[in-house]
Amino acid sequence: MYKVLIVEDELLVREGIKKSIDWAANGFAPPKEAYNGSDAWSIIESSHVDVVITDIKMPGMNGIELIRKIRNSSKQMEIIILSCYNDFNYVKEALELGACDYLFKLDMMPEDIVKALQRAVEKLSSKESTNSKIKLLEQTISDNLHISKAAYLLDIVNGKKVTRDEFSKIADELAIKLGNNNMILAIIKIDDIDSALQKGIFDNDYTAKISILNLIISCISVNENAEVVYKSRNEYVLIINLGKISSENKRYEFSNELLRNIITSIENDYQLRVTAGTCRRFWSIENLGTAYKESSFAVDKRYFTGTGNIIYFEDLGQQKEIKDAGDEMKRMLREIGGNESEELAPSIQRIFSRIRSDDCYSINEVLEISSYIMCSLLKTVIKHDSIIEELYLSEPFIYSNLFKKSTIDDMEDHLRKIESRIDELRTARHRDEISRALIYIEHNLSNSALSLGEVAASVNLSKNYFSKVFKKSLGSNFIDFLTKARLENAEELYKTTRLKVYQIAGKVGYSDWRYFCKLYKKRKGHKLTSLKR
């Protein structure tokens, strides 16, 4: 409902207006009252008023002074004048000041008051509509300006060549507040936007973008010469003019305070993992692209240092020569790529140890290496559809999760977890082969040439992989198991038959019965002939 204020020093007039109208039926709240202009202004300052009905001649602040005060303020309301026949000059002045209507006290009727109020409301609504359109237009212009500003800065960040003079001209047009020297650039990197979306912290990518962008803007608001640009869903670029900060110690203090505030605010408000990487000081907008590359190199080191830090490019030193390290890494990757049977966990550990010790790989190179290892892991089971299916049921985002890891430790753990799961599934898959292998061994104990390769071939597994699965399933290697089986079979034959020892040795695979006797005594601690038949 619209709010009305009646300003009149005569009580009878005020009461007459109040009681002559059904305010609610006409869309108005019960009116407030004031004795003169001063009282009315106090009410206007402390509460919302849509329409003022005011007399002109009143003690203290009169109606003309009140109208002038209202129009000099930012308050939006319509004004109706109460006048007498001898108030013509005052009425004219009031209308010139923006009063929308007037009523003659002596002959005004309730319907006259209602019509005047309705005309005031229509004019108020029209103004509100116009103001809304103006605000919408202003907002659209502001949004387009922000978009143009961000696009222009990103073009420079991405390598567009620009001179200082060109930048100064466009900066004025786009209201870019950077100046042209003594600047730093920082990248704010966020690693778990997807996790925040899943938890419901943000409704979607857009609300995440706006929320984080506004928070960063609030953190840098004390610095007038700064710009923040949204580059991607997990990256924001901050460019700051350092002004009169000249010493490196002061720059570190300023950067630490500002970036730590941003990191802490985002972590606390949105439970996100945040890292800042920043470049060396640069003195011209022409160096903005280089500054971005330095900051990007620095922030990528979070995979080695962990998240939540401020990483300075100059603290990292120069990148090491990677030719020899690259050749050695290629050899290690070829080795793991050609290994379709042996356990890959030791190879994964060796590769990541090399990555850490060399300290010369970019994050993209580490991801490329990790992807190659993942491919090698999957190659080991590519022929077994059931294993691939079970693996993806337990780990549905094998590759995509790799690219969401925040440190190389997380990447290595993910790869080793997949390797362990594949190993479990392969072991379970080959229980049938192990059972058939045991039967084959039992039927061929008398074959002195029985070998690991022969048994592995009998169940269609490679020698190396069969050896690994055999030991994991039975707890002993093939030779120990075969020896134990032969000796136990020899004991059974000695107890249940009248065969001579040399005959028993032949039946369990030993052509040299003397060697058999020595082996038996060494393993059992007594002679075979000491057993009762």
Side-chain angles (χ1 to χ4, degrees), residues 388-401 414 417-418:
I388 291 289
E389 184 178 343
E390 288 189 58
L391 178 63
Y392 272 90
L393 282 173
S394 58
E395 295 287 340
F397 305 107
I398 290 177
Y399 268 105
S400 59
N401 280 343
H414 181 65
K417 178 182 177 183
I418 298 301

Side-chain angles (χ1 to χ4, degrees), residues 2 16 97-98 135 138 173 195 301 326 354 372 419 429 457 465 468 470 488-490 503 519 524:
Y2 290 98
L97 286 172
K135 287 180 180 178
E138 289 174 344
E173 295 174 2
S195 175
K301 287 298 178 180
R354 185 64 189 241
Y372 182 85
E419 192 277 338
R429 169 71 174 76
Y465 183 63
K468 175 186 169 231
F470 189 93
E488 288 177 351
N489 189 248
Q503 292 173 314
L519 179 64
K524 297 291 187 175

Side-chain angles (χ1 to χ4, degrees), residues 409-500:
D409 289 345
D410 292 339
M411 290 182 194
E412 182 181 5
D413 288 345
H414 181 65
L415 289 169
R416 295 182 72 167
K417 178 182 177 183
I418 298 301
E419 192 277 338
S420 177
R421 181 62 180 148
I422 287 174
D423 188 51
E424 290 174 7
L425 293 171
R426 289 177 69 176
T427 301
R429 169 71 174 76
H430 294 307
R431 285 188 186 128
D432 180 57
E433 282 88 343
I434 295 300
S435 298
R436 289 191 285 114
L438 294 178
I439 294 171
Y440 186 87
I441 292 169
E442 184 180 355
H443 290 168
N444 292 276
L445 281 177
S446 61
N447 179 9
S448 61
L450 185 64
S451 65
L452 174 67
E454 179 183 339
V455 178
S458 73
V459 292
N460 298 315
L461 294 178
S462 69
K463 177 181 174 180
N464 287 339
Y465 183 63
F466 175 76
S467 175
K468 175 186 169 231
V469 174
F470 189 93
K471 184 174 183 179
K472 190 163 187 176
S473 299
L474 301 177
S476 65
N477 61 40
F478 176 78
I479 295 299
D480 287 343
F481 179 86
L482 181 60
T483 300
K484 182 181 178 183
R486 281 173 164 165
L487 296 182
E488 288 177 351
N489 189 248
E491 288 180 344
E492 186 67 19
L493 288 171
Y494 184 79
K495 291 177 182 178
T496 59
T497 71
R498 305 307 294 175
L499 293 173
K500 302 296 184 182

Side-chain angles (χ1 to χ4, degrees), residues 340-381:
E340 295 187 18
S341 58
E342 293 182 2
E343 186 177 359
L344 296 182
S347 298
I348 294 172
Q349 184 177 2
R350 285 194 297 273
I351 288 171
F352 275 87
S353 294
R354 185 64 189 241
I355 289 171
R356 293 184 183 90
S357 63
D358 288 342
D359 191 25
C360 61
Y361 296 96
S362 70
I363 181 54
N364 288 333
E365 289 170 329
V366 175
L367 284 169
E368 187 176 351
I369 290 168
S370 299
S371 297
Y372 182 85
I373 294 172
M374 184 68 77
C375 181
S376 299
L377 288 172
L378 295 177
K379 272 175 61 181
T380 63
V381 291

Side-chain angles (χ1 to χ4, degrees), residues 168-180:
S168 295
K169 181 180 178 181
I170 295 177
D172 288 340
E173 295 174 2
L174 298 179
I176 296 174
K177 306 167 291 185
L178 284 176
N180 217 338

Side-chain angles (χ1 to χ4, degrees), residues 69 94 110 128 172 188 222 259 320 349 363 411 498 526:
K69 199 170 185 67
E128 287 176 352
D172 288 340
I188 308 299
V222 293
L259 296 177
K320 296 179 182 178
Q349 184 177 2
I363 181 54
M411 290 182 194
R498 305 307 294 175
H526 56 82

Side-chain angles (χ1 to χ4, degrees), residues 191-192 194 198 273 303 367 397 399-406:
D191 286 303
D192 43 8
D194 286 329
Q198 290 169 6
R273 290 180 294 176
Y303 287 90
L367 284 169
F397 305 107
Y399 268 105
S400 59
N401 280 343
L402 184 63
F403 286 83
K404 295 175 184 176
K405 301 305 176 184
S406 302

